[in-house]
Amino acid sequence: MKIISNKTNLQILHEDNHLIVINKRVGDIVQGDKTGDKPLSDVVKEYIKDKYNKPGEVFLGVVHRLDRPTTGIVVFARTSKALTRMNELFSNRETQKTYWAIVKNKPFKASDKLVHFLKRNEKNNSSKAHEKEVPESKLASLEYTIIKELNNYYALEVNLHTGRHHQIRAQLSAIGSPIKGDLKYGFDRSNPDGGIHLHARKLVFIHPVSKENIEIIAPAPNDVIWNAI
């Protein structure tokens, strides 16, 4: 893995003719929204246009998104063929997604599989985890393991089985272990940078064109707690 820094301050984890993978920072939005803030997709387009001296509009497809306060791996497609195939991989759950999360309250079990039914609330942009199915809810499943005990916190490795809205945040909150800094899901105070300690750490998938196995690991942000892992 090689991290490339450039004038746009992008951390590029992987780049080829069909894909570009970025290590997203706290506060970056992946795609444009009602805030009007410049999205990461536009920054990446500018990087490609500049690096390859491309005339006209640069094609860039958003394969998936990460919540604004989270960090880690975001995949963009540089060709329409790659976008279609990557969308299929994600929708068919043919990718392996691993996250790191920092929580203050130790989960009851050192490792466990969590299964809930998540219902999304569009008004306040949140999801609530229910133990039993409720109307308009969707099945959500993940596995977590405590990978390190810190002075005041616990580091968890989370493997997603489904990709629901705010899934990790809502499910960890439901077991009494909200993520550090996540006021929306029950943590008692915010982080200074407005982010939360949730990081998309690893992604494994079959390349949509070359068919080789791709494994990408994103370094965690540089702060005292992440560095302790």
Side-chain angles (χ1 to χ4, degrees), residues 85-195:
R85 293 181 180 178
M86 288 302 294
N87 283 339
E88 289 172 356
L89 288 179
F90 273 80
S91 64
N92 295 334
R93 300 173 192 167
E94 295 174 5
T95 60
Q96 180 188 328
K97 292 180 278 188
T98 303
Y99 288 74
W100 280 358
I102 305 291
V103 300
K104 187 171 184 178
N105 301 326
K106 185 177 183 180
F108 181 67
K109 297 179 180 179
S111 62
D112 199 8
K113 179 179 180 180
L114 303 182
V115 178
H116 292 94
F117 291 90
L118 259 59
K119 183 171 182 178
R120 184 170 181 175
N121 184 330
E122 297 281 357
K123 288 184 178 179
N124 64 8
N125 190 35
S126 67
S127 290
K128 183 172 177 57
H130 300 267
E131 292 195 2
K132 295 183 179 179
E133 189 171 8
V134 298
E136 298 179 6
S137 64
K138 293 181 178 179
L139 180 68
S141 173
L142 62 77
E143 291 182 47
Y144 75 83
T145 300
I146 298 175
I147 56 173
K148 189 157 188 177
E149 295 191 18
L150 308 171
N151 287 338
N152 298 306
Y153 301 99
Y154 297 87
L156 311 183
E157 185 167 275
V158 179
N159 288 300
L160 278 179
H161 301 153
T162 54
R164 307 303 183 195
H165 176 257
H166 290 185
Q167 179 178 338
I168 299 173
R169 300 167 67 181
Q171 287 195 273
L172 291 181
S173 177
I175 64 168
S177 298
I179 294 167
K180 183 180 181 300
D182 199 355
L183 294 177
K184 181 171 281 191
Y185 288 94
F187 202 81
D188 57 2
R189 64 186 183 278
S190 60
N191 288 339
D193 63 2

Side-chain angles (χ1 to χ4, degrees), residues 24-25 27-33 38-44 60-68 70 72-76:
K24 187 183 97 61
R25 302 169 301 177
D28 287 342
I29 51 171
V30 175
Q31 200 169 20
D33 64 7
K38 188 173 185 175
L40 189 58
S41 56
D42 281 0
V43 177
V44 175
L60 192 76
V62 178
V63 175
H64 66 121
R65 289 187 275 265
L66 283 184
D67 300 337
R68 188 163 192 170
T70 66
I73 296 168
V74 177
V75 181
F76 296 100

Side-chain angles (χ1 to χ4, degrees), residues 170-217:
Q171 287 195 273
L172 291 181
S173 177
I175 64 168
S177 298
I179 294 167
K180 183 180 181 300
D182 199 355
L183 294 177
K184 181 171 281 191
Y185 288 94
F187 202 81
D188 57 2
R189 64 186 183 278
S190 60
N191 288 339
D193 63 2
I196 64 175
H197 275 74
L198 178 63
H199 180 67
R201 170 66 175 172
K202 186 168 85 167
L203 179 67
V204 180
F205 60 95
I206 302 298
H207 193 282
V209 180
S210 70
K211 303 305 179 185
E212 65 180 311
N213 190 62
I214 303 292
E215 179 177 303
I216 296 168
I217 295 177

